Amino acid sequence: MSITSIDKEYVAGTYGRFPVELLCGKGSLLTGTDGKRYIDMGSGIGVTCFGTADEEWLAAVTEQLNKLQHTSNLYYTEPCALLAKALCEKTGMKKVFFSNSGAEANECAIKVARKYSAEKKGDDHYTIITLVNSFHGRTLTTLAATGQDHFHQLFNPLTPGFLSVPANDVAALEAAVADCKPAGIMMEIVQGEGGVLPLTAEFVQAAAKLAKEQDIPLIIDEVQTGNGRTGKLYGYMHFGIQPDIVSTAKGLGGGLPIGATLMSEKVQNVLGPGDHGSTYGGNPVCCAGALSVIRRLDDRFLAEVQAKSDYIFSQLEGAEGVLSVSGMGLMIGIETVRPAKEVLAQCMEQGVLCLTAKTKVRLLPPLNIPMDVLKEAIGIIKAACKN
Ligand SMILES: *Cc1c(COP(=O)(O)O)cnc(C)c1O
């Protein structure tokens, strides 16, 4: 039996997989079980930010793997402490809670916002305002936060206390704040699953101002936009704002499961002993991988990410069969004349693996993809958009 047929028989049918069996890879290249070479323009959905089996990342992870693979949170370990310190020093945040995924990072963010607001204003202040077309995860609470009804159907009732307002509509946000006794405002800087749609600077700044004036914790979901993906360490850094809570995951571990919830001075002491926890959270191997990722995301590296982004935009904007290009840094959405699925199929055939977001082709290549490999991939993508 083939891997595909075993998987189809035994793995829960929650994913529409592409007809590709992957065996191994190096850097921005992946190899199928049939020996076919692919350029990786998806990084496992923005996770393998330094590509596959990157030497420096591998060294950090294997060194830790040879010491301790897990301890539980009953003890102190160096990777967990140093990663929290590095994240705080690079963002100005004060405390970090570690979990294992984006949804969990958001669950923690929501708990912090609710507890802060309940203590400060009363426990009728529990509503979290999110944005229409957002994506915050698959747990019942983060689904409630996700402003897309089609994800909700047949899973009701979801956690109550969530309200979505249209993105980039300051008046709608102000009205919701006035109406609903909010406990928090939560948003992605670029709506990833929603179609790679960046928020406007005006909206981000107005939301931050409103949140500050009304003492409402502002949660920025940087699960996809974080860790260098948009050309800054975190997406909010493009807008000169300081969120109260930042959640991140995906690229943070460079390929190992880790989520982090960063808390500002204002909310740093909201969670006390027993308020939250995770058995795997702060796992030393995941933290060692993440620490090696975070240390490498310096200004020089981020400038290269931006230069690659500029190259992609310059190649694709106005290209035949391309209606529009959206996104920031190496998080890019391409609206195509052909259905995105057809473009993806042709790219795959030609050895380039891309993603979709809604009706768009989405690119999330490794941040360190070499320029010659990127050029080859973009050439193939351009040709596929045209046909
Ligand atoms: C992927 C994603 C999540 C969910 O992350 P998981 O690790 O799959 O739980 C949450 N928010 C955003 C913005 C995401 O892109």
Side-chain angles (χ1 to χ4, degrees):
M1 262 172 111
S2 71
I3 293 169
T4 299
S5 55
I6 298 170
D7 187 297
K8 282 198 162 138
E9 184 161 347
Y10 294 107
V11 176
T14 54
Y15 305 106
R17 298 201 206 278
F18 294 115
V20 173
E21 295 176 356
L22 291 175
L23 178 66
C24 59
K26 195 71 187 168
S28 296
L29 302 178
L30 296 167
T31 305
T33 51
D34 57 358
K36 185 168 169 139
R37 165 194 184 268
Y38 296 96
I39 300 176
D40 179 10
M41 293 296 283
S43 332
I45 318 189
V47 167
T48 50
C49 52
F50 284 93
T52 297
D54 170 79
E55 291 298 336
E56 201 173 327
W57 178 86
L58 260 186
V61 169
T62 49
E63 192 191 326
Q64 181 55 43
L65 207 42
N66 280 302
K67 291 185 194 159
L68 283 169
Q69 82 273 34
H70 177 78
T71 58
S72 87
N73 280 301
L74 299 174
Y75 311 101
Y76 298 97
T77 63
E78 184 179 78
C80 175
L82 292 187
L83 176 60
K85 180 171 183 275
L87 287 169
C88 287
E89 285 174 354
K90 288 195 170 223
T91 59
M93 303 299 262
K94 299 294 180 198
K95 290 263 192 294
V96 183
F97 179 86
F98 289 117
S99 53
N100 317 288
S101 67
E104 286 171 276
N106 284 335
E107 290 269 348
C108 176
I110 292 162
K111 283 179 78 171
V112 172
R114 281 207 172 151
K115 191 174 175 215
Y116 175 85
S117 296
E119 285 179 338
K120 203 90 192 260
K121 300 180 178 173
D123 62 10
D124 56 342
H125 282 72
Y126 55 74
T127 299
I128 307 284
I129 302 171
T130 69
L131 300 182
V132 173
N133 198 43
S134 59
F135 183 83
H136 297 295
R138 300 287 195 158
T139 63
L140 289 172
T141 296
T142 56
L143 268 186
T146 293
Q148 303 190 55
D149 287 340
H150 69 97
F151 283 116
H152 298 173
Q153 277 155 27
L154 303 180
F155 295 113
N156 289 304
L158 304 176
T159 308
F162 290 86
L163 177 76
S164 297
V165 302
N168 298 324
D169 186 338
V170 177
L173 181 63
E174 284 171 348
V177 164
D179 274 2
C180 78
K181 298 193 174 143
I185 300 172
M186 181 168 177
M187 56 183 65
E188 302 154 85
I189 291 293
V190 181
Q191 294 189 326
E193 304 305 312
V196 199
L197 300 168
L199 297 182
T200 63
E202 186 206 1
F203 182 76
V204 173
Q205 284 156 359
K209 186 160 171 273
L210 189 62
K212 195 172 178 191
E213 281 166 5
Q214 310 252 341
D215 194 12
I216 305 161
L218 176 66
I219 304 167
I220 303 293
D221 178 343
E222 297 266 6
V223 172
Q224 193 163 152
T225 50
N227 315 300
R229 179 54 59 187
T230 68
K232 299 263 187 201
L233 183 59
Y234 291 100
Y236 74 81
M237 293 174 170
H238 289 278
F239 300 108
I241 62 158
Q242 190 61 49
D244 300 299
I245 305 169
V246 171
S247 56
T248 191
K250 287 198 169 92
L252 177 60
L256 287 172
I258 181 169
T261 308
L262 282 54
M263 292 164 260
S264 70
E265 186 152 19
K266 175 155 125 171
V267 298
Q268 64 172 320
N269 295 318
V270 169
L271 295 180
D275 277 341
H276 201 41
S278 166
T279 299
Y280 279 123
N283 171 276
V285 179
C286 299
C287 286
L291 186 59
S292 85
V293 166
I294 288 296
R295 282 181 172 160
R296 292 166 77 180
L297 299 175
D298 58 17
D299 289 346
R300 197 189 52 79
F301 182 83
L302 293 172
E304 284 171 20
V305 170
Q306 192 52 54
K308 288 173 202 168
S309 175
D310 294 344
Y311 170 77
I312 298 175
F313 273 88
S314 74
Q315 287 295 305
L316 293 176
E317 270 182 329
E320 206 180 325
V322 173
L323 297 169
S324 70
V325 188
S326 63
M328 294 172 89
L330 289 176
M331 177 173 183
I332 289 174
I334 313 164
E335 192 189 356
T336 50
V337 174
R338 291 179 80 189
K341 284 220 151 60
E342 285 181 20
V343 176
L344 252 70
Q346 182 171 329
C347 287
M348 197 178 303
E349 217 268 313
Q350 306 277 310
V352 175
L353 298 179
C354 303
L355 305 167
T356 57
K358 289 270 176 75
T359 57
K360 291 183 183 171
V361 176
R362 175 172 43 159
L363 308 180
L364 298 170
L367 302 179
N368 66 342
I369 185 170
M371 206 55 209
D372 58 327
V373 180
L374 180 62
K375 283 185 175 162
E376 184 185 343
I378 293 299
I380 290 167
I381 293 165
K382 257 173 106 164
C385 291
K386 190 155 90 182
N387 283 346

